[in-house]
Amino acid sequence: MKRGNLCRIIASAAVFAVIVNLFPIIPSAADGLKVGDYVQFGRYSDEPIIWRCVSDDENGMLMITDEIISIKAFDAKGTVTDGSHGKGYYGGMYRQAYGSNYWGDSNIRTWLRSNKTERRVEYICGNPPSTVDNKKYAYEEEAGFAANFTTTEMKAVRTVCLKSILDAYEETPLTSNKNYHIYNDEIEEILTNYNSAYSEELEETFFLPDVKQIYDIYSNGGILGEDYYIGRLSKSAAGKISGKNEGDFYHSWLRSPRALKLNGYSYHVRYITLKGKATDKMAYESIGIRPAFYIDWSKVSLSGGSGSKDNPYITVMGEDDSPIKNPPPDPTEAPTPEPMESTGPDKTAGPSESTGPDKTAGPSES
């Protein structure tokens, strides 16, 4: 090759390199999202949230936070009985003392779905998350989780109808619930009679995974990592727990109750332990949360990233009109409670067939 031609080729390559550096190739949402990909989307506690695509099911691509982002109770104790706290063993006496295992009006579901700013979230069960097991984890004054996202980002959050297992005390008329979801704390057996178990469907945006979704994450362990279904603490969450560090395994809530017959367990909720068991705790106890949602990838614009853990896709958040950054003026009167889906007529619980629940707390958080 002549020296002149070689010089022209080298010069052209140099110009191309400069152009690439000045105008980097931006990935397109049209390239598709696959199970295992990481996406930076939204913020929480002034830090970007890293999500991971963990399964592809009938609702689309399921995303879950890569780490436990916060420590919260599932539901607080309280004596307001308009909602699920008025149902359960002897009229809800244990739910009033330890919180309710009913996902539909739980504090954590209300918080995840709400876009209200600080001190404005209306807890629909009437018992705000101030009376939890440890006051330092109370979150009644915190802005709702959805308030951390811009209008542009929320367009990519699908609204879906999801199945949620129910406790016997949500049944009408009240019976012994022969179709209750059979309890098994082994992740491999967590779906025993799931398809036929007593349940309801609710409209969701941000939510906690149920036993089926956590099993799907476990089943995709070949892609995600065999322990990925077990939560690991983020830096901010670890900082709230004595002796824990970023990246440590820790307990995390599911949205499924421990649904047995009429035996008093109306305040026990399933969770994944730091050792991978699918056992249960009292609803008012505070452990980790890993929010989830279904992403509408067609509504996402990307500004960079490759989808890897070290270089996640970075979404374009749009104009920062999130309620967190642009709170409304202080109201002149009390805000109106947010409406929710009807969960059916009131159910009055009668005496249980058992002598009372096992009131032992869940395993140690050490």
Side-chain angles (χ1 to χ4, degrees):
M1 179 181 294
K2 292 182 179 181
R3 180 182 295 274
N5 290 337
L6 178 60
C7 289
R8 282 193 293 273
I9 292 172
I10 293 173
S12 297
V15 171
F16 178 75
V18 170
I19 292 173
V20 168
N21 286 329
L22 290 175
F23 306 100
I25 298 173
I26 297 175
S28 167
D31 295 337
L33 181 71
K34 63 183 184 299
V35 172
D37 285 348
Y38 293 83
V39 179
Q40 179 180 306
F41 181 81
R43 299 178 67 84
Y44 181 69
S45 295
D46 292 325
E47 295 291 335
I49 305 174
I50 304 300
W51 305 79
R52 198 173 186 194
C53 182
V54 289
S55 72
D56 183 3
D57 61 30
E58 65 275 9
N59 292 298
M61 308 301 281
L62 176 63
M63 311 295 292
I64 193 169
T65 55
D66 187 44
E67 297 177 314
I68 290 169
I69 64 167
S70 188
I71 307 299
K72 285 181 165 51
F74 184 90
D75 191 65
K77 63 182 180 180
T79 56
V80 176
T81 58
D82 294 340
S84 65
H85 283 224
K87 306 163 191 173
Y89 189 79
Y90 282 103
M93 61 180 291
Y94 287 114
R95 285 181 168 180
Q96 293 165 40
Y98 305 114
S100 171
N101 65 1
Y102 175 56
W103 166 250
D105 69 357
S106 65
N107 291 157
I108 197 64
R109 179 174 185 257
T110 300
W111 178 77
L112 286 167
R113 290 163 51 88
S114 178
N115 66 356
K116 298 298 180 67
T117 52
E118 293 179 1
R119 297 181 297 278
R120 295 172 188 253
V121 179
E122 292 290 328
Y123 288 93
I124 54 180
C125 70
N127 300 286
S130 54
T131 52
V132 297
D133 65 328
N134 189 324
K135 288 291 289 184
K136 75 176 183 178
Y137 299 130
Y139 57 100
E140 78 278 10
E141 294 189 355
E142 185 178 342
F145 183 66
N148 294 277
F149 299 82
T150 67
T151 299
T152 299
E153 289 169 330
M154 286 303 298
K155 289 178 181 177
V157 177
R158 288 186 183 275
T159 298
V160 295
C161 287
L162 297 181
K163 174 177 178 174
S164 287
I165 297 295
L166 291 174
D167 189 274
Y169 290 104
E170 270 62 67
E171 193 167 21
T172 301
L174 195 66
T175 71
S176 62
N177 190 14
K178 296 178 181 178
N179 293 324
Y180 68 88
H181 182 231
I182 297 172
Y183 176 87
N184 195 311
D185 66 6
E186 297 294 336
I187 188 67
E188 298 87 352
E189 304 296 329
I190 199 173
L191 293 187
T192 302
N193 85 318
Y194 175 84
N195 290 335
S196 60
Y198 179 49
S199 64
E200 68 178 353
E201 285 195 347
L202 292 175
E203 189 176 272
E204 309 290 0
T205 51
F206 294 110
F207 52 88
L208 297 181
D210 75 340
V211 290
K212 173 65 166 61
Q213 289 162 329
I214 206 70
Y215 179 82
D216 289 344
I217 297 173
Y218 164 76
S219 297
N220 284 331
I223 299 171
L224 305 172
E226 62 179 13
D227 295 328
Y228 193 75
Y229 74 100
I230 308 173
R232 290 180 182 267
L233 291 166
S234 64
K235 183 178 180 179
S236 61
K240 298 178 181 179
I241 307 171
S242 177
K244 293 296 180 181
N245 299 304
E246 180 180 8
D248 286 353
F249 286 118
Y250 198 62
H251 316 304
S252 57
W253 286 119
L254 302 177
R255 71 173 185 272
S256 303
R258 179 169 184 176
L260 301 181
K261 296 181 180 180
L262 302 183
N263 62 357
Y265 275 93
S266 57
Y267 59 97
H268 279 234
V269 184
R270 305 293 294 274
Y271 76 103
I272 299 298
T273 74
L274 55 79
K275 295 184 178 180
K277 294 287 188 179
T279 182
D280 60 282
K281 273 184 176 291
M282 293 183 287
Y284 86 137
E285 295 186 80
S286 300
I287 58 174
I289 62 164
R290 296 177 75 187
F293 77 101
Y294 284 95
I295 194 166
D296 187 342
W297 197 239
S298 69
K299 302 289 179 61
V300 172
S301 295
L302 301 176
S303 63
S306 63
S308 67
K309 184 175 181 64
D310 295 332
N311 188 27
Y313 289 126
I314 300 175
T315 60
V316 176
M317 69 182 226
E319 182 179 352
D320 195 356
D321 58 355
S322 64
I324 288 288
K325 297 293 184 181
N326 299 279
D330 289 334
T332 56
E333 57 185 28
T336 302
E338 296 177 350
M340 75 167 289
E341 300 82 356
S342 172
T343 57
D346 186 28
K347 302 120 183 163
T348 304
S352 164
E353 59 188 35
S354 84
T355 57
D358 176 8
K359 291 189 271 187
T360 57
S364 169
E365 298 185 2
S366 62

